[in-house]
Amino acid sequence: MASEFDRPVDRKNTSSLKWEKYGDPDILPMWVADTDFLSPPAIQEALQERISHGIFGYTNTPDELTRLVIDRMERLYQWHIEQDWLVWLPGLVCGLNLACRATGQPGDRVLTPSPVYPPFMSAPHLAGQQVVTLPLKNSNGHNSLDLEALEAAITADSKLLLFCNPHNPGGTVYRREELEQLAALVLKHDLYVCSDEIHCDLILEQGLAHQPLAALGPEIGARCITLMAPSKTFNIAGLGCSFAIIQDRQLRKQFNNQRKGIVPDVNLLGYTAAIGAYRDGDEWNRQQIDYLRQNRDYLIREINQIPGLKLEKVEATYLAWIDVSGAKLENPARFFEQAGVGLSPGRDFGDDRFMRLNFGCRFELVEEAVRRIRRALLNQLPA
Ligand SMILES: Cc1ncc(COP(=O)(O)O)c(C=O)c1O
């Protein structure tokens, strides 16, 4: 039976970053992380109602949204947060950059697992800091932290770990035990952690659940800046509404000091959409997750049958991290574009053996992408 997620929506001529990247209409854009799904009706209705008011002046954070986030943390993670701990931000990348500046000086070292979403590597550089990347290790198809390597990399001038959970790329959902070990290490070495949990509502693997690092306990909570947003889950990234949860008053002060006069407040439509998402979006998201899981299962089955390609389980996110090294391509990004599929180059994430495919779209497009990829790779095999 067709689902609402199968419905084609034309995104051309909407200034969509994703759909306008390629001048060529024959390239399926499967790169940047937004989906092609309509936002849930609750969000569209909340926005329409707000727009019909007709006045769009400076805006406070709506109390209803603060309440919704506090309740959500309690309900989903038994994490009791206070209103003061919330810092609203126009984007998570902005939060990563503020975290570097709030916790260290130019010259300090920032640690981050790798491969990773590119701003994890650029944020330290933009703050005049050094970035130390620590390769994730693959154990039984699950990418996990190499805690020994992490500990070995910690020096006196290492102040911050930029952490991504669920991990982008690859979709690892870190297990509670791993997080507890990480927390122990962080406390032992007095590190701060900026934990980017933007994909926390997109866990596809049944039986797994998100665990915020900071929610493990007040001690680790005091070392954490947690970043979250409804943007990936509800396809409202263009509305710029995210938040940091910072338990420690001094750390929060340092973070806020960095933003003063530079980082704008969240705009009122971003707040409005976030209210719609967190008040009424959960059932819609359950359906979205079922749909994404089918896309994922199909991709894993099909991609692994194509000579030269390998795809491990994607536990969370709608981003498949495909090992293309077996295909021995000179320029993988160009090769797949010429095949009619626009992917994100693994090089940008720190591993050029991979390409990232965004499957947050109609199943029909996923099937078509697989067809094109298969055809192109089979054609270039020696006869
Ligand atoms: C891990 C991660 N953090 C942050 C972002 C972007 O956040 P924002 O658009 O709010 O700056 C993305 C987008 O793909 C992401 O995957």
Side-chain angles (χ1 to χ4, degrees), residues 99-148:
C100 291
R101 290 156 202 242
T103 56
Q105 301 299 322
D108 282 348
R109 283 153 61 98
V110 176
L111 310 171
T112 190
S114 156
V116 74
Y117 178 60
F120 280 58
M121 295 177 282
S122 56
H125 283 305
L126 291 170
Q129 298 166 347
Q130 308 167 58
V131 64
V132 180
T133 53
L134 301 152
L136 291 167
K137 61 175 186 199
N138 187 304
S139 40
N140 303 326
H142 167 75
N143 269 335
S144 59
L145 296 169
D146 187 340
L147 291 170
E148 276 174 32

Side-chain angles (χ1 to χ4, degrees), residues 181 197 333:
Q181 289 167 358
E197 304 183 7

Side-chain angles (χ1 to χ4, degrees), residues 33 91-94 117 120 164 168 196 198-199 231-232 242:
L92 255 79
V93 170
C94 158
Y117 178 60
F120 280 58
C164 190
N168 172 19
D196 177 335
I198 195 171
H199 296 284
S231 53
K232 297 287 153 192
S242 355

